[in-house]
Every structure is written in structure tokens, then in C-alpha cells.
Amino acid sequence: MHKFYFAPNTCALASHIALAEAGADYTVEKLDFKSNQQNSPDYLAINPKGRVPSLVTERGILTETPAMLAYIAQSFPKANLAPLDDPFAFAQMQAFTSYLCSTVHVAHAHGRRGTRWASEESSFADMKRKIPESMGACFTLIETKLFGGPWVMGEQYTICDPYLYTIAGWLEGDGVAIATLPKVADHFRRMSERPAVQKALAEQRG
Amino acid sequence: MHKFYFAPNTCALASHIALAEAGADYTVEKLDFKSNQQNSPDYLAINPKGRVPSLVTERGILTETPAMLAYIAQSFPKANLAPLDDPFAFAQMQAFTSYLCSTVHVAHAHGRRGTRWASEESSFADMKRKIPESMGACFTLIETKLFGGPWVMGEQYTICDPYLYTIAGWLEGDGVAIATLPKVADHFRRMSERPAVQKALAEQRG
């Protein structure tokens, strides 16, 4: 049994979908970011970074989306969520999750989380103005260079897919029209129809 | 044979050290960031992100430090650079590399790469002023919560160690005195003495 801590509309959705795709036995705990629950003493004892997601396993607690996604794929090999026996293909997959984590998610975060990197209101406004350009550039690279098709890595559905789906869901709010990215838009639509995605979204609303 | 593209004083040092620790057969190619060689057509054909490191393998090209580090560990299992047969321990290791990549390196990058996220000179100056605080907070978390000792993950030397060493080397330039972080400082000193570290540093100078 795993216990999964998330907040709605965050990158935690990627690992949540992966748990559902894997057929994992898990419960969910929703954090309320509006009341800053992620920085409560109880939660900081679970994840001292004050971030989501966190995954409580029988062995201990895991954090960080790329690590958690690889863990889910390796722990539930029958779900076939990663090329587990091919270090090169596994690394290509992890290059994609790492790019989403360290470049794309970071670009997005400058819209709401500017206090991590600056202190002045004028800087926050400047950062917000840059989001359509920076997110647009990231997704143009994904659309034209990184996306294999029909899934991110090509024929095999992997942990990259729920992660791309999750961040692609932020595009409209970031001022990037998903319709300008046909492969990403089609992937988003197909992902939306998957039972595991619908299960995770229902659990996040519930 | 692997061909490794790097630039001095970048995160590429982590993977370079890991290649040396693994006993890999590799050659190195130094990029000149001052002449913007990372955005030359020749290099963009290798890595369309215009970043380092890139690792050319017999199978194709890999990018992104956490992915490359895991690939090196998996491809050279005799070097024992990761807990390869334990998905939970592997994920703990990857949570650390992911944190360095997406949070610590990103905090550092606001000192020189502010144009990724803003456009105004006043914002760049504001970002630079924040670096000692943001890098200090990241390394306080590493020192007090994440560092196992004597190596990052505890008794086993892993790919986390060259990555921490690489970023810890930026601390003084970022306004954080490494001496205020005794575990990190001791780790940095012990890393500096390793033959693989000295080999990689010599190759980067050469």
C-alpha cells in the first residue's frame, strides 16, 4: 500500500496517473495549498521541501516527480511503463522527464512562484510577461524535436506520457494555445480518454 | 566509445566525473560558451536545446544530467555507482539528482541566465541579489536533511556524489561560504582527492 500526497493542479497529477496506470494499491491525501498546508509541521515531517508530490511506501518516503515516475515503472514491471531492460532507452525516457522537471515546469513556475528567485513586484510582473514566450519555446521543442508519436517515446506508452499531459494542461493558463501544437494537442486529447487519467482526476476532485 | 560534450564550470562536470569513475572509454569535446558555440548549427544538430552536457553513444545522443548519470551507472554496473537492483533505493538516489537539477541548479542559474525567465535589467539584478538566500536554503536542506554520510546516499558512493561536488563548487561564487556547511565542505574536500575527479578536471583544462 502506498499513500500519495498531492495538491490539485500541480505536477503531482503525473505520478498519480502513473500509479493508476500501474494498478498500484494506493490511497490519496489532498493538501490545501491555499492554507499553506504544504508548509505545516505535519507535512514538513513527511517532505521537508514543502512540495508535492510525496509517496509514502513501505520502505520510506519518496519525492521528486522524475524519481517517483521511474520508481513506479520499476516497481510495477507488468504495467510496461518504461523500457526497463535497456539503459539507453531508459535514459532517453529520463531525459524527457528531466527536461519537463528542470526546464518546462520551472518556466511555468515563474508565473506564480517568483518569490523563489526574486523579491520585487516589478520582477514578478516581468517574469509573468515572459511565460508565453518561455513555455511556447519549450513546447515548440517538444512538438518538433522530442515527441516520438503516437506516445512521447514512440510506440510504447511510458511514464513520459502522464507527465507531458499534466504540464500540457497548464498551457492555456500560461498564454500558449495548445491548438498551435498539433501533436501535443492530439496527445492531450487521447490521454484525457484513458481510464487511468479519468480515475486520477476523479480522485483529485473527490 | 562515448563522445562527451561539455563546457568548463558547468554541470557537465558531474557526468564527466561519473564517466571517469565508471572506467568508460570516452573522448571529450569542449564547447566555448563565450563564442556561443552551444547555439552553433553544428552543436544544435547534436543537442537542439543548446545546452551541455551531451553524450554521443553508439545508440544515439543523450542529454540531461540526471538521465546521463543513471545511464552511466546502469551501463557500467561493475563500477557500483548506484543501487541498481533496488527500485526504492534507486528512486531515493534519483530524488537527490532531480532536486539538484530542478531546484538547486535552477536557483544558481538565476545569477547568470536570468534572460531565460525575465527581460528587464532590474529583474536580473533582483535575481542576483536573491542567490545567496536561495542557494543557502537549498544547501542547508542538503546539509541537515538529505546528506547521508560519508557519501550522499550513505555508505555507497553513487552518481549523487559527483553531482553534489559539482554544484557545491559554485557556492563561494554564489555568496554562500561552504565552511558554514561542514558535511558538504568535508564531502567536497574528499571528492577533490579522488583520482576520477582529478582526471575529469585535467581533461576539462586540457
Side-chain angles (χ1 to χ4, degrees):
Chain A
M1 174 67 82
H2 293 75
K3 183 188 279 191
F4 182 70
Y5 288 83
F6 76 97
N9 306 313
T10 70
C11 66
L13 180 61
S15 299
H16 195 161
I17 294 169
L19 285 167
E21 297 278 11
D25 189 12
Y26 64 91
T27 59
V28 297
E29 293 281 341
K30 189 188 298 198
L31 295 180
D32 180 10
F33 273 22
K34 285 179 186 162
S35 65
N36 199 29
Q37 194 179 0
Q38 73 272 32
N39 287 310
S40 65
D42 283 354
Y43 187 67
L44 289 175
I46 293 163
N47 182 351
K49 298 171 201 164
R51 304 273 180 98
V52 290
S54 296
L55 184 65
V56 184
T57 79
E58 291 174 357
R59 294 276 300 281
I61 295 165
L62 294 176
T63 61
E64 303 286 340
T65 295
M68 204 176 289
L69 290 173
Y71 168 78
I72 293 165
Q74 290 182 332
S75 298
F76 299 92
K78 288 181 184 171
N80 201 25
L81 295 173
L84 296 175
D85 298 323
D86 181 339
F88 179 78
F90 190 78
Q92 284 189 306
M93 184 193 75
Q94 292 220 110
F96 190 83
T97 61
S98 185
Y99 178 66
L100 290 188
C101 178
S102 63
T103 300
V104 191
H105 188 162
V106 167
H108 165 80
H110 282 73
R112 293 189 185 187
R113 308 285 179 198
T115 54
R116 290 179 184 163
W117 306 292
S119 303
E120 307 291 337
E121 288 297 333
S122 60
S123 306
F124 305 149
D126 186 13
M127 291 171 173
K128 283 182 187 167
R129 284 191 299 271
K130 188 91 171 181
I131 306 286
E133 176 190 336
S134 57
M135 286 294 276
C138 290
F139 269 85
T140 297
L141 184 78
I142 292 169
E143 175 83 13
T144 60
K145 302 282 188 186
L146 307 183
F147 189 87
W151 304 111
V152 171
M153 297 305 297
E155 293 299 324
Q156 185 180 357
Y157 178 91
T158 69
I159 52 167
C160 292
D161 294 295
Y163 202 6
L164 177 62
Y165 167 78
T166 296
I167 296 188
W170 301 341
L171 281 172
E172 297 288 336
D174 284 344
V176 178
I178 196 169
T180 63
L181 303 154
K183 293 177 188 172
V184 171
D186 178 61
H187 178 265
F188 188 83
R189 183 188 54 72
R190 285 182 288 112
M191 284 296 298
S192 303
E193 295 169 353
R194 289 178 76 87
V197 174
Q198 294 179 3
K199 178 175 189 285
L201 288 173
E203 287 168 350
Q204 296 216 350
R205 282 190 300 267
Chain B
M1 173 67 80
H2 292 73
K3 183 187 278 191
F4 181 71
Y5 288 84
F6 76 97
N9 305 313
T10 69
C11 66
L13 180 60
S15 299
H16 195 161
I17 295 169
L19 285 167
E21 297 278 10
D25 190 11
Y26 65 91
T27 59
V28 297
E29 293 282 340
K30 190 189 297 198
L31 295 181
D32 180 10
F33 273 21
K34 284 179 187 162
S35 65
N36 200 28
Q37 194 179 358
Q38 73 272 30
N39 287 310
S40 65
D42 283 354
Y43 187 66
L44 289 176
I46 293 163
N47 182 351
K49 297 172 201 164
R51 305 272 181 97
V52 291
S54 296
L55 184 65
V56 182
T57 79
E58 292 174 357
R59 294 275 302 280
I61 296 165
L62 293 175
T63 61
E64 303 287 339
T65 294
M68 205 176 290
L69 291 172
Y71 168 79
I72 293 165
Q74 290 182 333
S75 298
F76 299 92
K78 288 181 183 170
N80 201 26
L81 294 173
L84 296 175
D85 298 323
D86 181 340
F88 179 79
F90 191 78
Q92 284 189 305
M93 185 193 74
Q94 292 220 110
F96 190 83
T97 61
S98 185
Y99 179 67
L100 290 188
C101 177
S102 63
T103 299
V104 190
H105 188 162
V106 167
H108 165 80
H110 283 73
R112 293 190 185 188
R113 307 285 179 197
T115 54
R116 289 178 185 164
W117 307 291
S119 304
E120 307 291 338
E121 289 297 332
S122 61
S123 305
F124 304 150
D126 186 13
M127 290 172 173
K128 282 181 187 166
R129 285 193 298 272
K130 188 90 173 182
I131 306 285
E133 177 190 334
S134 58
M135 286 294 275
C138 289
F139 269 86
T140 297
L141 184 77
I142 291 169
E143 175 83 13
T144 60
K145 301 283 187 185
L146 307 183
F147 189 87
W151 305 111
V152 170
M153 296 306 296
E155 293 299 325
Q156 185 180 357
Y157 179 92
T158 69
I159 51 166
C160 293
D161 294 294
Y163 201 6
L164 178 63
Y165 168 77
T166 296
I167 296 188
W170 301 340
L171 282 172
E172 297 288 336
D174 284 344
V176 179
I178 195 169
T180 62
L181 304 154
K183 292 176 188 172
V184 171
D186 179 60
H187 178 265
F188 187 83
R189 184 187 56 72
R190 285 183 286 112
M191 285 295 298
S192 304
E193 296 168 351
R194 291 178 75 88
V197 174
Q198 295 179 4
K199 177 176 190 285
L201 289 173
E203 288 168 349
Q204 297 216 345
R205 282 190 300 267

